[in-house]
Amino acid sequence: MKNWAGNLVFHPKKILNPKSTEEALSMVKEHLAAKKTIRMRGTGHSWTGLNATDDSFLHLDDMQGLIDVNATDQLITAKAGTKLALFGEEAFKHQLALPNQGDINHQSIAGAFSTGTHGTGITLQSMSNQLRNITMVTGTGEILNIDGRKNSDLLNAVGVSFGSVGLITEATLKMIPAYKLKVESFAENMKVSLEKYKARLQDNRHLEMFYFPVGDWSMVKMMNLTEEKESAPSKLKEVGDIVLENWLFEGLNILAHKTNSYKGLDTFMRKFVGHEVFVDWSHRAFPSSRNIRFMEMEYNLPVEKFEEVFEELKASIKKHDFQTLFPIEIRFVKGDELWLSPAHKRDSVYFAIHSYIQQDFKPYFDEMQRIFKRHGGRPHWGKWHSLTHDDLESVYPKWHDFIKLRSEFDPHGVWLNDHLRSLFYKRK
Ligand SMILES: Cc1cc2nc3c(=O)[nH]c(=O)nc-3n(C[C@H](O)[C@H](O)[C@H](O)COP(=O)(O)OP(=O)(O)OC[C@H]3O[C@@H](n4cnc5c(N)ncnc54)[C@H](O)[C@@H]3O)c2cc1C
C-alpha cells in the first residue's frame, strides 16, 4: 500500500470498506473487542505517516455522494468519502459552491477538512471552516453526531483531527451560491512581486505566488469573482500546464537532476510561462493537474512575518546552494477557531516547499523547517514535517485540551499508529 507520492509504504493485514455508518460501527466494535487498531484514508494524498498501519486499513470509497441539500440555508450533507471533484459537480447542480478550494480536487471531503486543507485568499478560511455537522464513529464504539449550532467547541476540536478522534462518515458543509472566477497568471521578477503583494492581497479575492528560487522569479496567480462568460483555457495555459505540471516539467527535472544544470533549465522554463487569463466556474477553476510526483512540506506562519521569513528562506537557499526547479508556493489564509488548525487564531501565510521525488529532499526541507520553527510555524498536517509532541505543544494553545478530549473518545487507542503516537505523547 502506498500514498500518492509513494514515500509511505505499508502492509495492512486487512482492508475495510464499509458502505454505511452502521457497518462501520460494527467493524469498530469488532476491532475494539479484538484489541486491534484501524487507520483510515481518504485518497492517500498526504505525505505524513497519518495513514500507515500494519493492522487494519479503512476507506470510504463506497460512501460517496450527496445525502441532503438544504437550498435555503445553503447546506450540503454528503457521505464523508465523497471526492472533492464529485462533490463540486454535484453541488453545482444545485447552484452551490465551496467559497475556496486548494489546487487539486482528488481528495475526499473528510480527508481534506481533517488536515485543514486550504486554498488562498486572506479573507477566506480553510475548508475545515465550512463544517457545520459531523457524524462519526468514535473509538468507544458509538455513533456521535456533532451539531455545530449546539456544540461549536466540540466541532472546533474535531474539525481538524486527522482521523484521531473517530471515523467521520457524514459531514454537512456550508456552501455559497455558485460563482465564476477570472484567473490571471504571469511571470515576473520576485522583487516586483514583493513590492506589489500587499496591494494585490487587498485587491484580489485570491493571491498566490510560486517563487522559483534558482532564477529569483515568481509566477503570480490572481483570481476574482466575475460575471463574464466561461472561456476555454487558452493555448498559453495549456503550454504553462505542460511546463509546470506535466511531462515536460518531469523531463526537465530528470535532466536537471542528472546534469545539475538547474540555472539554464530554470531560465528555459520561465519562457514558457505566458500571461494567461481564463474564466470558469469556481469548482473547475481552482484545481490544476499535478501529475508529476514530488515531496512537499508546508508551514503556516503569521501573515505579518511573510517578508522576514521569505528573506530568510531565500538567504538559506543561496547559502546552502539548494538546487530545485520546483517553486515555493506562497498562499494566504484567514485565521480561525479550530483547535488544531494551523491558522488557529491568526491570519496566515503558508509557504509550501517542494522537491522532485528523485531528489534527496531532507537537507533542503530540514533547513527550511528550521527557519519555520524559529518563527512559530505550524506544519500542514498532511504534508511532510518532523515535528513531535514537544514542538507542537508550544505552537498550539489548545494542544493539551485536544489530547485530553481525544483520549476520552478513543480510550483504547483504536485509531493510533506510530505517527500519531509521536504527535500526542512525549518521547520517553
Ligand atoms: C498533489 C497534491 C496537491 C495538494 N494540494 C493541496 C492544497 O492546495 N491545499 C492543501 O491544504 N493541501 C493540499 N494537499 C494536501 C491534501 O489536501 C491533504 O493531505 C488531504 O488530507 C488529503 O486528503 P485525502 O482525502 O487524500 O486524505 P488522506 O491523505 O488519505 O488522509 C488525511 C487524513 O484524514 C484522515 N481521514 C480521511 N478520511 C477520514 C474519515 N472519513 N474520518 C476521519 N478521518 C479521515 C486520515 O486518517 C488522515 O489522517 C495536496 C496534496 C497533494 C498530493
Side-chain angles (χ1 to χ4, degrees):
M1 200 71 68
K2 281 184 185 165
N3 62 342
W4 176 85
N7 65 304
L8 202 65
V9 181
F10 51 97
H11 306 281
K13 287 193 188 70
K14 225 183 201 177
I15 311 281
L16 309 172
N17 180 18
K19 292 171 184 55
S20 67
T21 304
E22 290 67 31
E23 197 184 341
L25 176 67
S26 72
M27 287 171 174
V28 172
K29 282 182 172 167
E30 273 171 32
H31 280 70
L32 279 169
K35 294 192 169 40
K36 300 271 183 211
T37 63
I38 303 176
R39 282 309 299 152
M40 62 291 258
R41 73 144 165 82
T43 60
H45 275 70
S46 298
W47 282 264
T48 43
L50 290 170
N51 284 353
T53 180
D54 52 12
D55 218 337
S56 292
F57 188 56
L58 185 150
H59 64 80
L60 299 182
D61 290 354
D62 286 337
M63 287 187 69
Q64 296 204 54
L66 306 193
I67 298 168
D68 183 57
V69 178
N70 175 340
T72 318
D73 296 334
Q74 298 170 342
L75 294 170
I76 292 186
T77 303
K79 295 180 193 169
T82 310
K83 309 289 184 292
L84 274 173
L86 176 68
F87 182 79
E89 289 298 337
E90 290 295 311
F92 185 57
K93 289 180 186 160
H94 301 273
Q95 283 300 295
L96 293 171
L98 289 165
N100 203 2
Q101 284 181 229
D103 53 21
I104 60 159
N105 61 3
H106 302 298
Q107 309 96 316
S108 65
I109 55 167
F113 64 67
S114 292
T115 58
T117 294
H118 62 91
T120 187
I122 196 63
T123 60
L124 300 162
Q125 297 173 311
S126 75
M127 277 189 57
S128 323
N129 288 275
Q130 301 315 119
L131 275 175
R132 293 296 178 271
N133 200 309
I134 284 177
T135 301
M136 68 161 33
V137 179
T138 66
T140 51
E142 283 155 307
I143 295 176
L144 173 71
N145 186 271
I146 308 175
D147 181 341
R149 283 165 313 180
K150 295 183 191 145
N151 201 342
S152 58
D153 220 28
L154 187 55
L155 194 64
N156 281 338
V158 173
V160 178
S161 59
F162 29 91
S164 70
V165 176
L167 171 72
I168 298 164
T169 54
E170 292 179 14
T172 303
L173 301 178
K174 174 76 178 143
M175 311 295 286
I176 63 173
Y179 56 99
K180 278 182 277 188
L181 287 171
K182 186 169 190 166
V183 183
E184 185 183 6
S185 61
F186 51 87
E188 68 185 13
N189 291 339
M190 189 62 191
K191 190 169 173 289
V192 180
S193 301
L194 288 172
E195 281 161 12
K196 295 191 172 174
Y197 95 91
K198 274 193 182 141
R200 283 176 175 162
L201 203 53
Q202 301 312 320
D203 296 346
N204 294 280
R205 191 174 191 266
H206 310 266
L207 170 68
E208 182 166 12
M209 290 177 271
F210 295 88
Y211 172 60
F212 292 83
V214 172
D216 199 20
W217 61 282
S218 81
M219 189 177 101
V220 180
K221 189 169 174 185
M222 297 182 290
M223 297 185 270
N224 286 294
L225 300 178
T226 183
E227 294 295 327
E228 287 175 35
K229 194 173 161 359
E230 58 267 43
S231 54
S234 67
K235 277 277 164 254
L236 273 175
K237 168 161 169 55
E238 285 168 27
V239 174
D241 277 359
I242 287 167
V243 170
L244 290 170
E245 288 150 9
N246 290 300
W247 56 267
L248 182 52
F249 189 39
E250 171 112 52
L252 289 176
N253 273 281
I254 293 170
L255 196 60
H257 184 56
K258 290 210 167 127
T259 59
N260 202 22
S261 47
Y262 286 91
K263 183 78 183 140
L265 290 170
D266 181 86
T267 310
F268 172 75
M269 206 168 68
R270 180 177 172 168
K271 294 200 178 110
F272 277 88
V273 182
H275 190 140
E276 62 139 299
V277 180
F278 72 92
V279 171
D280 211 338
W281 290 96
S282 65
H283 64 290
R284 294 171 195 157
F286 284 122
S288 309
S289 40
R290 294 277 186 268
N291 296 333
I292 173 171
R293 293 294 187 267
F294 52 86
M295 287 299 293
E296 182 169 338
M297 170 176 79
E298 186 174 38
Y299 265 82
N300 171 299
L301 289 120
V303 69
E304 54 281 5
K305 291 230 172 206
F306 167 53
E307 286 160 275
E308 185 187 353
V309 173
F310 175 77
E311 290 305 335
E312 283 190 36
L313 298 176
K314 189 175 154 182
S316 171
I317 291 171
K318 196 165 173 207
K319 181 174 157 208
H320 295 279
D321 196 25
F322 291 128
Q323 299 289 334
T324 178
L325 291 185
F326 274 85
I328 295 179
E329 192 176 1
I330 300 164
R331 294 184 277 186
F332 301 90
V333 174
K334 186 175 159 63
D336 63 33
E337 295 298 322
L338 290 148
W339 292 10
L340 297 195
S341 164
H344 179 74
K345 289 199 188 289
R346 68 190 192 198
D347 290 348
S348 308
V349 57
Y350 277 86
F351 291 95
I353 313 292
H354 303 86
S355 174
Y356 180 47
I357 202 76
Q358 286 184 22
Q359 270 185 301
D360 177 12
F361 68 93
K362 276 278 281 155
Y364 179 34
F365 282 23
D366 281 346
E367 274 310 316
M368 300 295 104
Q369 182 171 249
R370 227 188 299 282
I371 295 170
F372 295 137
K373 273 178 77 173
R374 211 169 41 242
H375 289 279
R378 296 173 181 152
H380 187 306
W381 294 110
K383 303 195 182 178
W384 187 92
H385 68 84
S386 61
L387 300 200
T388 55
H389 175 275
D390 295 2
D391 308 299
L392 294 160
E393 72 177 349
S394 66
V395 288
Y396 280 102
K398 292 283 217 177
W399 190 245
H400 293 287
D401 295 330
F402 177 79
I403 290 176
K404 185 165 172 287
L405 178 137
R406 198 209 75 76
S407 54
E408 281 161 18
F409 284 108
D410 184 25
H412 309 291
V414 71
W415 309 119
L416 290 180
N417 66 3
D418 289 347
H419 178 70
L420 291 171
R421 267 183 222 104
S422 78
L423 304 183
F424 299 138
Y425 297 106
K426 273 185 183 294
R427 206 175 290 152
K428 285 184 190 137

